[in-house]
């Protein structure tokens, strides 16, 4: 990359996977317990926004007299909102500090959630979900920035790992909670619950999270520096390879997240509660894969071996789903284990691809993170509705999208991520 690369705030950042003893000495006072809980809850807001209402997708589709592809656009629009929100709130917090954008975003999130609850048509709900995603992205962006402001080196890495664990647990809890909510309310009640969560987080941040970016570290315009840093990263062959690998792998993940609710419930006629069980088991597989990767596999195998193995497993999962619906008539008994394998593979693929990409840019981690977030959420937004593209939910289409994304990830990784 040309010249020294820096993040939009002008600060050098620490690689996620430092070599040897090169980690910076931890600095900054540790967070109070209440602040740790609040920051962890902010990280979990994104998965809750995405997953809490998934068991209610068939019900809201019928209630709004719409179609399955239109209902899945509510997920797509939320993901697109998250892309825009990340690009907005990150630079804004560098100019204004963390506190004001964080509170403004959470207030907007609460209002957008209420708009979704009151939606009387699918277009209104899709628009509300886009606003909800954009506003909710402030939680993840600024939570990480707050940690970076206060900690560095191994202390920061450990704290971010804790936040990642919470983020991994959230997809397990959210659909189960959403399914249980449907016992006492309808789909609108799930969005009321998200509005209440937004209001609680707004109050918690207002009372328990102070400003962490002092005025002397803020800047009025880092657009030119940011553009140069991003351009340098995109011109680096290996970084681009990891970026594309992560992007397409995330596409396979969101093909499952976006399509499984409608597909499994409509095709196999399972209840929202049974679907929440399937989703929870598969989310546990994702969490187990992540923990196994971080605690055992990275100590024994090379990053290249792990990524090739994980991507191959994801492709095998997609191929199995296709075969179980075209060649063999196995029903859910054959499809469910394949989807569980997919989620376990994601626990290996995504941490390694993202970690290696960020390691490639030790002095531009902010720009690298922005590219990773934008690429993955854009890809997720595109593939989420594809399993119902023909107008009817299809398990075969879901497996085909998973297989295609996994093969594209392999096609990007193998030639581009070779050693220079």
């Amino acid at each position: 990359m040309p010249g020294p690369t820096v993040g939009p705030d002008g600060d050098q950042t620490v690689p996620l996977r430092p070599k040897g003893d090169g980690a910076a000495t931890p600095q900054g006072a540790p967070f109070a317990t209440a602040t740790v809980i609040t920051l962890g809850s902010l990280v979990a807001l994104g998965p809750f926004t995405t997953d809490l209402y998934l068991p209610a997708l068939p019900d809201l589709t019928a209630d709004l007299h719409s179609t399955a592809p239109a209902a899945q656009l509510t997920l797509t629009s939320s993901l697109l909102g998250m892309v825009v929100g990340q690009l907005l709130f990150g630079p804004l917090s560098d100019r204004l500090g963390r506190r004001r954008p964080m509170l403004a975003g959470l207030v907007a999130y609460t209002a957008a959630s209420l708009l979704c609850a009151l939606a009387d048509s699918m277009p209104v709900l899709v628009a509300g979900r886009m606003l909800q995603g954009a506003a909710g992205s402030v939680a993840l962006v600024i939570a990480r920035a707050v940690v970076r402001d206060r900690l560095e080196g191994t202390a920061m890495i450990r704290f971010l790992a804790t936040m990642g664990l919470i983020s991994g647990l959230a997809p397990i809890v959210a659909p189960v909670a959403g399914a249980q909510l449907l016992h006492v309310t309808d789909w609108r009640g799930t969005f009321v619950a998200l509005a209440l969560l937004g209001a609680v987080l707004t109050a918690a941040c207002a009372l328990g999270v102070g400003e962490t970016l002092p005025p002397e570290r803020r800047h009025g315009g880092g657009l030119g520096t940011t553009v140069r840093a991003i351009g340098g990263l995109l011109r680096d062959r290996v970084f681009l390879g990891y970026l594309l690998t992560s992007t397409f792998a995330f596409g396979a993940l969101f093909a499952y997240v976006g399509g499984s609710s409608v597909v499994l419930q409509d095709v196999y006629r399972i209840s929202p509660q049974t679907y929440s069980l399937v989703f929870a088991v598969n989310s546990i597989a994702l969490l187990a894969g992540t923990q196994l990767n971080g605690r055992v596999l990275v100590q024994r195998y090379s990053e290249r071996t792990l990524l090739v193995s994980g991507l191959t497993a994801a492709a095998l999962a997609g191929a199995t789903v296709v075969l179980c619906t075209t060649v063999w008539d196995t029903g859910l008994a054959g499809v469910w284990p394949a989807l569980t394998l997919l989620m376990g593979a994601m626990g290996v693929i995504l941490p390694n691809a993202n970690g290696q990409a960020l390691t490639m840019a030790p002095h531009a981690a902010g720009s690298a993170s922005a590219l990773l977030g934008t690429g993955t959420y854009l890809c997720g937004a595109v593939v989420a509705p594809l399993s119902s593209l023909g107008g009817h939910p299809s398990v075969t289409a879901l497996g085909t999208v998973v297989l295609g994304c996994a093969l594209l990830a392999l096609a990007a990784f193998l030639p581009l991520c070779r050693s220079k």
Side-chain angles (χ1 to χ4, degrees), residues 149 161 163 212 232 419:
D149 291 340
M163 292 172 65
T212 59
S419 299

Side-chain angles (χ1 to χ4, degrees), residues 230-251:
I230 289 176
L233 290 170
L234 291 177
R235 287 191 296 271
D236 186 280
R237 170 178 60 83
V238 180
F239 175 84
L240 181 62
Y242 287 120
L243 172 63
L244 292 175
T245 300
S246 176
T247 296
F248 289 127
F250 200 81

Side-chain angles (χ1 to χ4, degrees), residues 4 18 46 60 82 102 108 123 132 180 205 265 313 338 356 383 412 420:
L60 74 85
M82 289 180 183
M102 177 170 56
Q132 188 187 41
Q180 297 309 310
C205 290
Q265 291 186 72
Q356 288 297 317
V383 305
K420 291 187 176 180

Side-chain angles (χ1 to χ4, degrees), residues 111-392:
S113 299
L114 291 175
L115 173 63
C116 292
L118 298 173
D120 58 359
S121 67
M122 191 61 74
V124 174
L125 181 59
V126 169
R129 285 286 288 172
M130 180 171 287
L131 293 174
Q132 188 187 41
S137 69
V138 71
L140 179 58
V141 170
I142 296 188
R144 286 178 175 170
V146 166
V147 174
R148 186 180 60 184
D149 291 340
R150 287 279 299 275
L151 302 173
E152 62 180 85
T154 55
M156 181 187 69
I157 294 169
R158 289 195 185 102
F159 197 95
L160 290 176
T162 301
M163 292 172 65
L165 178 61
I166 296 172
S167 180
L169 290 172
I172 301 173
V173 176
V176 175
Q180 297 309 310
L181 279 173
L182 293 179
H183 283 301
V184 296
T185 185
D186 59 7
W187 66 268
R188 298 180 187 276
T190 62
F191 289 106
V192 173
L194 290 174
L196 291 174
L197 178 59
V200 169
L201 285 176
T202 302
C205 290
L207 297 175
V209 181
E211 181 58 65
T212 59
L213 187 67
E216 62 271 17
R217 292 183 55 197
R218 303 173 193 177
H219 64 85
L223 181 59
T225 299
T226 302
V227 169
R228 287 191 297 272
I230 289 176
L233 290 170
L234 291 177
R235 287 191 296 271
D236 186 280
R237 170 178 60 83
V238 180
F239 175 84
L240 181 62
Y242 287 120
L243 172 63
L244 292 175
T245 300
S246 176
T247 296
F248 289 127
F250 200 81
L253 174 62
F254 258 90
Y256 163 76
V257 171
S260 62
S261 176
V262 172
V263 168
L264 296 184
Q265 291 186 72
D266 281 13
V267 174
Y268 295 122
R269 304 298 180 185
I270 61 176
S271 67
Q273 289 70 37
T274 301
Y275 168 71
S276 71
L277 173 63
V278 173
F279 198 92
V281 169
N282 291 350
S283 296
I284 291 172
L286 173 64
L287 187 60
T290 302
Q291 294 301 300
L292 180 65
N293 175 77
R295 295 176 181 273
V296 179
L297 298 181
V298 294
Q299 308 296 329
R300 298 184 180 182
Y301 303 101
S302 70
E303 152 271 322
R304 189 172 183 84
T305 298
L306 291 176
L307 278 171
V308 170
S309 300
L311 291 170
T312 301
L316 178 62
T320 301
V321 172
V322 173
L323 290 173
C324 285
T325 55
T326 57
V327 178
W328 312 308
D329 185 15
T330 64
L332 186 61
V335 171
W336 186 357
L339 294 176
T340 304
L341 172 63
L342 170 69
M343 296 295 277
M346 287 298 148
V348 175
I349 297 167
L350 293 176
N352 283 292
N354 292 339
Q356 288 297 317
L358 290 168
T359 301
M360 291 293 300
H363 305 307
S367 297
S369 180
L371 285 171
L372 287 166
T374 300
T376 54
Y377 279 110
L378 280 175
C379 187
V382 170
V383 305
L386 292 183
S387 60
S388 299
L389 191 60
H392 301 285

Side-chain angles (χ1 to χ4, degrees), residues 65-92:
H65 307 288
S66 189
T67 63
Q72 288 179 315
L73 284 177
T74 61
L75 178 60
T76 298
S77 62
S78 177
L79 295 174
L80 288 174
M82 289 180 183
V83 170
V84 175
Q86 287 181 86
L87 297 176
L88 170 66
F89 285 113
L92 193 64

